Amino acid sequence: MQAHGLAGASISVRWEHGMKFGYFDDQKREYVITQPDTPLPWINYLGCEAYFGIISNTAGGYSFYRDARLRRLTRYRYNNAPFDLGGRYIYVRDNDAKEFWSPSWQPTRHQLEKYECRHGMGYSIIGSEYKGIEARTRYFVPLGENLEIWQVTLTNHRHHASSLSIFGGVEFCLWDAQDDSTNFQRNFSIGQVEVEDDVIYHKTEYRERRDHFAYFTSSAKPAGFDTQRDKFLGPYRGWDNPAAVERGESGNSIAYGWAPIAYQHIKLNLKAGESQQIVFILGYQENANDQKFDPPNSQTINKKVAKATIAKYLSPANADAAFENLRQYWDSLLNIVQVDTPDEHTNRMVNIWNAYQCMATFNMSRSASFYESGIGRGLGFRDSNQDLLGFVHMVPSRARERILDLAATQLPSGGAYHQYQPLTKRGNNDVGSNFNDDPHWLILGVAAYLKETGDWSILGEPVPYDNQPGSETPLYEHLQRSFQYTLDRLGPHGLPLIGRADWNDCLNLNCFSDTPGQSFQTTTNKEGKVAESIFIAGLFCLAGRELADITVQKACPTHGGTGKCAEAESEAKKYLAEVKKMEDTIRKHGWDGEWFLRAYDDFGNKVGSKECEEGKIFIETQGFCTLAGVGLNDGMAAKALQATKKHLATKHGIVLQQPAYSKYYLHLGEISSYPPGYKENAGIFCHNNPWVIIGETRVGNGDQAFDYYSRINPSAREEISDLHRCEPYVYAQMIAGKDAPTHGEAKNSWLTGTAAWNYFAITQWILGIRTSYEGLQIAPVVPKNWKGFKATRKFRGVTYNIQVERAGAGNAVALTVDGKSVKGDVVPLPTDGRKQVAVKAVLT
Ligand code: GLC
Ligand code: GLC
C-alpha cells in the first residue's frame, strides 16, 4: 500500500490506502485496464444512436436494438458468479499443443501475459498475449448502422509457425429479455436459425409477428459452425470449457428450439512473426412486413439488405474507415467544451469522461448497465429531463426530440407518467404518475435547451397529453401546466404536497407499506392531503423563475415572438409572485433554525428537523434551495451550507441525511428500509452533491465548491480503486456513507443523474461558463489559489476562446471581448458574423 494524495490544489483530504487497476491515457481518450480481475466488471458502451452494447473489460455484456428489454440480441445471465458471464467471446486454440484460452481472460481465465483493455469513446479494445500468441479485438458500432464489428488481430510472436483455431460468437436472446429468462416451457421450442453462405441468421419468432432478425458472420472462411448451444458446449459444461473448442472442431449444429447460438470456427496458420485480422459482425435487420420472405411465399428470410451491409463491413478497410468516422464524431462532440485548468482530474472529466457518461445517461436513462437490468425501468421523466443538462450541447436535435417525447407523456393535469418505454414512447402504467416533483423538471430541461440553442420554435410545437391525438397544445402550455400542477396541490402549510415521492424516490410519506414485496412507491395508503415537500418547494422556485424568463424572452420579436412584451411581463410577474410567496412559505414553515426542513409527514410532523430523533438534516433541501437562490439574501443559504458541512460532509462526499435511520419507519417508507449508510439512507448519493456545489458557488465559496467536487470526482478517486471498486472513469450513483462498514465503496456506476449534474456544476457554475439567453456568461467561482484557466466553448455556431486570470481573491469579473472591455459578465452574441471570439475575464 502506498500513501496517495489528491492532486487538486485545495484538497485537504488524503487517502490512507490505495491501489489502481489501470491508468488514464488522456491523449487517446481511453482508460487502460492492466489487470483483468478488477474489483467489479468495468464496462463501456458500444453504440450511441439505436444499436447498443455493453461490454466489460473481460468482454462480458450484451447487445440490443433501441430497447434493452424488448429487443435484446444476445443473452446475459444476471447476478451470476462470476458477475459478467455471457459476452462477446473469442477462444484461441493452439492446435499442436491442443490448448485453448480466452484472450479477454473470461471465460477460461488463463493466466494471460500482457493483458490490456482500452475503453474508449464508443469502442473497447481487449488484447493479451499467451505463450507467444497475441490476440487483440477492437469492438465498436459504426455510426448509422445497426451492427457491431469485432476486429480480431492475431499475431504470432513465436519463432515457429503455429496452427490455430479461432472460435468467436454469441448466444442469442429470444428478443424479449424478460420472457427469455422466465418462459422456458415455450422458449425451449421456438428457437430458429438459418445458415446460408457462412452467415448464421437468428430468426426466432420471425415466422409470426416479428419483422426483425439478427446475423453473425466473419470475414474468414469458417471450418465449421455451431448454432445449438448444447452441441457447442457439450453436456454439463460451461463457457469456460466448450467441448467444440477442446476438440478443435465444430459440430455444424442447427438449432431447433433450446438455445440458439452463433459460433464460427476459423482455422489459421500463422508463420513466425505473422499477423492476420478476422472481422466478425453481429447485426440487426428489419424487413418491411410484405418483404419478410424470399421467395415471398416461403419461410426463408429475405436477406437482400442484410447481405449488402455484411459485404461492406467484412472488408477490413471499410471497418477501419467506420472506426475512423466514429473517432472523428467523438472528437467533434467533445471539442464543443474543452478546458485547461490547474487540476488534471477536472480536465479529464470535463474534456472526456463526464461528457461521455452524459451521452450514456441520455441514451440509456436508467435502463441498461451492470446494475440496471434493462428489463426494469424505462426512461424516467425526471431523470431524462435532468440528463439533458449535460447532453444538450452535444446533439441538440436529439435533445429536442427527447423533450417533445417526454412532454407527450405528460397528463392534462400537468402531472406526468413517472416513466415511459423507449420503443413505444408510451407512459408506463405499472408505475403511473403522482410523483409531484416530475413536471417541474420539464421546465428545467426546456430552459437548458433554449439557452443552449436559442431555438424558440420548440415552444410552439404541438404536443399531445398522454399521447392522445387531438389533445395537442403548444409545448409552452405544457410548461404552464407543469407550474400550475403544484399550485393545485398545496398542503396545510401552503407547501407542495409530495404525492408518491419527490426527487427522493424512497421518501414515501403516503405509502405505509407493511407487507414484504409491496412496492414502496406505488402502494399509496394515504390520501396524500397532508404530507408536504420542501424539496419541491425549492424546485418550484427555480422552475418558476425559469418559466418567467422563458415567458418574457419568447415574446421578443428577435425570438420569433409577438412583440407583446407588456403582456408577457405581466404573465411573468404572476409566476414570480407565486415564487415569492413560496419563498416566504419556506422561510416560515420550511426553516428549522439552522437548515431547511425536508418535509412534513402524513401526521403533519417535521422530517429533517432538530426535533426528529433520526434524519434531522437532509442534503436535498440544503442543496436545492441554495442552488435555486432561496435564502441568498437573508443568510439562510449560508447557514444551510454551513450545517451541511458540519453534519453531512465526509471525505468521500456528502451523505444524504444524518443521523441515518437505524430502523424501519412505516410512515417514511423505503428510505428507512436500507441499512444505514447505503442508498437513500445516509449514503453519499452523488446525484445531489452538485446541488450543494452549485449552492456554494452561489454564496461565492469557490474553495468549498471545488473541494466537494473533487471528493466524488471518479478520476480523483482512481488511486483508491480497491476501496471505490467501480470504474474510475465514470460516476456511480452512490458511495457508501459514514454509517456503512464499507464507507467509500461505490455502487451502481454509469446510469445516474450524477453525470449531468456534475458536468453542469463544474462547467457552468465553478468554471462559470454559463449559457444564457443573451449570450455566454462568464462567472467563474474557482478556488482562490487558481491563477486562472483556459477554455474553448462552441456556442450557437461561434467558438469562444476564453482565458480567465486571477488578479484578486474574489469572484468579480472584468470582461474583455476581442480586445474591447464589456460591461457585466455576459459575452454578447456577435452580430457581425464572427465565428471566433476571444474572451478574457479577470477575477478581482
Ligand atoms: C434514482 C432515480 C431518481 C431518483 C433518485 C433518488 O437515481 O433514478 O429518479 O431521483 O434515485 O431516489
Ligand atoms: C429504488 C431505489 C431508488 C430508485 C427507485 C426507482 O427505490 O432505491 O434509488 O430511484 O428504486 O424506482
Side-chain angles (χ1 to χ4, degrees), residues 407-427:
T409 66
Q410 207 177 7
L411 300 164
S413 64
Y417 279 105
H418 196 48
Q419 293 161 3
Y420 77 93
Q421 292 309 127
L423 206 62
T424 60
K425 298 190 174 179
R426 289 298 157 111

Side-chain angles (χ1 to χ4, degrees), residues 403-710:
I403 287 170
L404 298 176
D405 285 348
L406 283 165
T409 66
Q410 207 177 7
L411 300 164
S413 64
Y417 279 105
H418 196 48
Q419 293 161 3
Y420 77 93
Q421 292 309 127
L423 206 62
T424 60
K425 298 190 174 179
R426 289 298 157 111
N428 183 340
N429 274 318
D430 299 344
V431 189
S433 160
N434 294 332
F435 292 75
N436 284 351
D437 63 316
D438 271 336
H440 293 297
W441 299 110
L442 181 67
I443 302 180
L444 302 193
V446 171
Y449 174 79
L450 291 172
K451 288 178 193 171
E452 180 68 42
T453 61
D455 168 22
W456 293 91
S457 74
I458 194 174
L459 294 176
E461 286 287 341
V463 183
Y465 295 85
D466 195 6
N467 278 294
Q468 294 307 313
S471 66
E472 292 82 359
T473 71
L475 176 67
Y476 179 67
E477 190 175 325
H478 285 252
L479 306 188
Q480 292 173 305
R481 291 197 198 187
S482 291
F483 187 71
Q484 187 60 35
Y485 180 83
T486 289
L487 293 175
D488 292 343
R489 285 165 187 74
L490 295 177
H493 298 93
L495 291 160
L497 291 170
I498 194 167
R500 286 186 165 154
D502 58 24
W503 172 86
N504 190 331
D505 271 333
C506 300
L507 188 60
N508 314 121
L509 302 180
N510 293 309
C511 153
F512 290 66
S513 170
D514 57 8
T515 308
Q518 219 173 33
S519 156
F520 287 107
Q521 280 84 28
T522 59
T523 314
T524 309
N525 293 328
K526 298 290 157 180
E527 258 199 283
K529 297 272 163 42
V530 179
E532 298 169 297
S533 163
I534 287 113
F535 171 78
I536 301 180
L539 177 60
F540 174 90
C541 293
L542 183 64
R545 281 195 258 273
E546 294 288 5
L547 180 60
D549 279 351
I550 291 172
T551 302
V552 172
Q553 294 287 336
K554 115 180 209 301
C556 298
T558 46
H559 298 158
T562 52
K564 293 185 180 159
C565 297
E567 245 171 63
E569 293 278 357
S570 81
E571 185 187 334
K573 266 197 194 129
K574 282 191 210 144
Y575 302 140
L576 293 175
E578 295 294 350
V579 169
K580 167 84 178 34
K581 208 160 126 196
M582 189 64 80
E583 281 189 286
D584 291 343
T585 309
I586 295 175
R587 209 166 282 122
K588 209 157 146 207
H589 299 295
W591 181 247
D592 201 49
E594 284 175 78
W595 57 77
F596 293 101
L597 287 175
R598 178 63 179 84
Y600 287 92
D601 66 20
D602 183 58
F603 307 103
N605 295 327
K606 293 171 184 171
V607 178
S609 156
K610 285 202 242 339
E611 295 167 19
C612 304
E613 217 172 294
E614 301 185 309
K616 291 173 192 281
I617 171 170
F618 278 68
I619 190 175
E620 296 101 306
T621 39
Q622 318 320 322
F624 219 89
C625 290
T626 55
L627 103 77
V630 177
L632 276 185
N633 301 326
D634 54 20
M636 283 194 323
K639 269 195 197 159
L641 291 167
Q642 272 158 23
T644 302
K645 185 173 180 183
K646 184 165 165 207
H647 300 290
L648 301 178
T650 78
K651 68 178 172 182
H652 294 291
I654 311 167
V655 299
L656 198 141
Q657 86 275 36
Q658 279 294 296
Y661 293 116
S662 62
K663 54 179 191 256
Y664 181 56
Y665 293 88
L666 186 64
H667 67 290
L668 299 179
E670 185 170 0
I671 191 168
S672 58
S673 75
Y674 289 110
Y678 294 101
K679 294 280 283 183
E680 282 89 339
N681 189 14
I684 296 157
F685 219 87
C686 299
H687 186 148
N688 50 32
N689 277 229
W691 302 345
V692 176
I693 295 171
I694 299 173
E696 289 289 355
T697 66
R698 296 216 61 178
V699 299
N701 195 347
D703 283 339
Q704 189 62 68
F706 186 70
D707 179 354
Y708 287 151
Y709 170 76
S710 301

